[in-house]
Amino acid sequence: MPNDDATAWEEQLIADLRANGGKPSGGPLAGHPILLMYSTGAKSGLRRRSILTYSVQGDTYVVAGTASGSPVDPAWIANVAADPTVELEVANEVFAGRAEVVDPAERDQVWAEHVAQLPWFAKYQEQVERTIPVVRLRRA
């Protein structure tokens, strides 16, 4: 069962995103590039929403499975690995997308560019022993 306080906070954040072209106007995420990703639960088959900070690399949005420095991957990583079909909402535009977990051979380079654009992400890798997965999101 979702935490009511967390759900209320997420709903307020999403309303703020939609009112401000996809960037929160206040709070700890003020000014951050945020997107909404809807995926299908790998175990449940239910529609799942993820609120993610992203960087832009070429024609893709890049997101990282930091789980805010948690020792385990967020559930959405398993979801997109099982079914890469997603729906994205970026800067008030909703569109079909495809998710691709970045191959280990190029992960470090994509991560480095992500951190160059969003420097605060560097601390997440320092906090955990796991390799944080990186995902490219494209228009379908």
Side-chain angles (χ1 to χ4, degrees), residues 20-36:
N20 293 289
K23 289 190 178 180
S25 64
L29 299 175
H32 289 208
I34 306 285
L35 62 77
L36 303 178

Side-chain angles (χ1 to χ4, degrees), residues 13 18 21 50 70 112 118 124:
L13 174 61
R18 290 176 175 157
S50 301
S70 169
L118 307 169
Y124 294 123

Side-chain angles (χ1 to χ4, degrees), residues 42-125:
K43 294 179 182 176
S44 70
L46 299 175
R47 181 175 162 98
R48 300 293 187 197
R49 177 182 71 201
S50 301
I51 301 171
L52 304 167
T53 304
Y54 67 91
S55 63
V56 176
Q57 295 183 28
D59 63 350
T60 66
Y61 301 99
V62 174
V63 294
T66 64
S68 297
S70 169
V72 297
D73 291 344
W76 64 262
I77 292 292
N79 295 349
V80 300
D83 181 354
T85 303
V86 296
E87 181 178 271
L88 302 170
E89 182 175 339
V90 183
N92 295 351
E93 182 185 2
V94 178
F95 53 92
R98 300 274 305 163
E100 169 201 3
V101 179
V102 175
D103 183 89
E106 61 178 325
R107 183 258 176 216
D108 289 349
Q109 180 248 332
V110 176
W111 172 258
E113 176 60 27
H114 187 69
V115 170
Q117 291 183 42
L118 307 169
W120 60 90
F121 269 78
K123 72 178 180 185
Y124 294 123
Q125 190 60 75

